[in-house]
Amino acid sequence: KPRFKLSRHTSFFTIADMAEASSVLPVQIVSNAYGKSRVRLVRVFKKADRHEMIDMTFEIQLQGDFDEAYLSSSNRTVLPTDTMKNTVYAIAKTYVDDQPELLGMRLARHFVSTVAPVKAANISVVQHSWHRLIVKGEPHAHAFSREGSGSKRTAQIRLCKQSGWTVHGGIEDLLLLKTTMSGFEDYIRDPYTTLKETKDRILGTNMKAVWKYQNPEAIEYASVFPAIRDALIEAFAGPAHSGVYSPSVQFTLYQMASRVLQRVPQVAEVSLRMPNLHCNLVSLAPFGMDNPNEVFVPIDEPHGTIQATLTRTKGTALASRL
């Protein structure tokens, strides 16, 4: 026989009825988190001779002693998500940080240190790229452009009262392409294989990179991020006048992630995801024309996807961990 019943004055369950029902049902909360998503921020830094700006999107997720909010009618342990949004703007005004990792760390520290029920704060940041306009060869003081969606810098910050900091940086939607110095040969063939081997093809990808920082409170992010990005691009492209040959996306991915770990000691681990954006050679034979790898049709789907995570071993060698 149920221990709860409908209210005498309504055909619906009251809050008290529902709370009592939840207390007797054979279920439990395994995990929970809550927060604010899509918090948009543009911050202008006004200097004497020019303006600087950042454009970021934040997501905040808090974990802690919030079971009461799910099991009863009490919100006494709940910080409103609107307050989280306001905190982003207040922190952005209070400090002059223009690095997503630093802003995320300040937010995480604020929530963990000032909101009693919070045991861990998770902050995700996406920074949108704007570039200063060049007018008649001169950098403009306060005008910027953003072409298309562009690549995005990312950061994921976690501060836990028990375990401390975990900070990841990253890049999303970094479109890379080279028109030669790539091939694909000597692969497994079975009755369903139709792909032709090639020593010369276009190699393109829309790369997502995520890396884990060591000692995140001691890092100069303004210099470390460009060093990581440069390492990835240089390993993909090779020297400016000669390039570097890629026998597969897997091989190139390994070289790119390895280059980051070799050059940037602040990075402990690198994960790359590289969809293979195909450009298929067009046959011009029906028109009596030759096509020596000059005319292609880009194919969005289906496409191959290659991914791996690399980290340092205890010695000097690098190891791949899928």
Side-chain angles (χ1 to χ4, degrees), residues 41 77 130 215 226 235 237 240-241 260 265 299:
L41 167 72
T77 63
W130 290 83
N215 304 317
H241 296 289
V260 173
I299 304 298

Side-chain angles (χ1 to χ4, degrees), residues 6-311:
L6 293 175
S7 169
R8 295 177 182 177
H9 306 292
T10 178
S11 59
F12 299 98
F13 287 115
T14 66
I15 292 177
D17 292 331
M18 290 186 286
E20 184 180 358
S22 65
S23 68
V24 299
L25 289 174
V27 297
Q28 63 179 348
I29 296 174
V30 176
S31 64
N32 71 80
Y34 83 105
K36 199 74 165 180
S37 299
R38 298 290 300 168
V39 181
R40 298 285 289 113
L41 167 72
V42 170
R43 172 72 157 92
V44 178
F45 302 95
K46 297 183 177 181
K47 300 181 180 181
D49 59 339
R50 69 187 188 281
H51 289 179
E52 305 285 352
M53 66 160 289
I54 56 174
D55 180 353
M56 298 182 182
T57 302
F58 293 80
E59 178 173 346
I60 302 160
Q61 286 288 306
L62 304 182
Q63 296 172 286
D65 296 324
F66 304 128
D67 285 11
E68 185 179 2
Y70 295 86
L71 299 174
S72 74
S73 59
S74 173
N75 292 320
R76 62 182 181 177
T77 63
V78 177
L79 180 74
T81 63
D82 189 68
T83 304
M84 299 179 197
K85 174 205 68 179
N86 295 339
T87 304
V88 171
Y89 303 133
I91 293 290
K93 170 58 179 163
T94 304
Y95 301 96
V96 294
D97 299 326
D98 60 356
Q99 304 297 306
E101 294 89 350
L102 293 178
L103 276 171
M105 292 172 73
R106 290 196 186 278
L107 286 167
R109 186 182 292 112
H110 169 83
F111 292 123
V112 169
S113 63
T114 65
V115 185
V118 175
K119 293 183 177 179
N122 301 282
I123 314 295
S124 297
V125 190
V126 176
Q127 180 171 357
H128 311 280
S129 299
W130 290 83
H131 304 284
R132 189 178 301 277
L133 286 178
I134 305 297
V135 178
K136 293 185 177 180
E138 294 289 332
H140 200 282
H142 56 261
F144 303 83
S145 68
R146 178 178 165 190
E147 297 180 1
S149 57
S151 64
K152 295 179 279 290
R153 179 176 173 180
T154 64
Q156 295 85 40
I157 298 95
R158 175 176 172 82
L159 176 58
C160 178
K161 284 184 176 179
Q162 290 186 338
S163 58
W165 292 103
T166 303
V167 178
H168 290 83
I171 304 173
E172 291 183 357
D173 297 327
L174 180 59
L175 288 165
L176 300 172
L177 183 145
K178 55 185 182 180
T179 57
T180 189
M181 296 294 287
S182 174
F184 191 52
E185 303 175 276
D186 196 28
Y187 41 80
I188 294 174
R189 287 186 168 276
D190 71 7
Y192 306 115
T193 302
T194 58
L195 184 69
K196 294 181 179 180
E197 295 186 356
T198 180
K199 298 179 184 295
D200 189 10
R201 64 173 182 171
I202 289 178
L203 175 60
T205 187
N206 184 357
M207 187 188 70
K208 177 181 180 180
V210 177
W211 52 85
K212 183 179 181 180
Y213 288 111
Q214 301 183 118
N215 304 317
E217 292 183 282
I219 292 177
E220 293 290 337
Y221 292 100
S223 59
V224 169
F225 176 80
I228 296 170
R229 191 178 187 276
D230 288 348
L232 291 168
I233 291 173
E234 289 173 18
F236 175 85
H241 296 289
S242 59
V244 62
Y245 187 72
S246 169
S248 68
V249 178
Q250 287 87 338
F251 181 87
T252 297
L253 182 154
Y254 183 85
Q255 298 303 312
M256 294 168 71
S258 297
R259 187 76 60 92
V260 173
L261 292 171
Q262 291 164 357
R263 284 193 182 178
V264 188
Q266 297 90 339
V267 173
E269 182 179 281
V270 183
S271 297
L272 299 184
R273 186 176 190 273
M274 297 176 63
N276 194 351
L277 303 184
H278 303 287
C279 289
N280 292 345
L281 190 68
V282 176
S283 174
L284 301 180
F287 318 121
M289 302 171 68
D290 189 20
N291 186 8
N293 281 15
E294 293 177 344
V295 180
F296 299 83
V297 56
I299 304 298
D300 292 331
E301 53 187 32
H303 59 73
T305 299
I306 292 83
Q307 54 191 359
T309 298
L310 274 67
T311 186

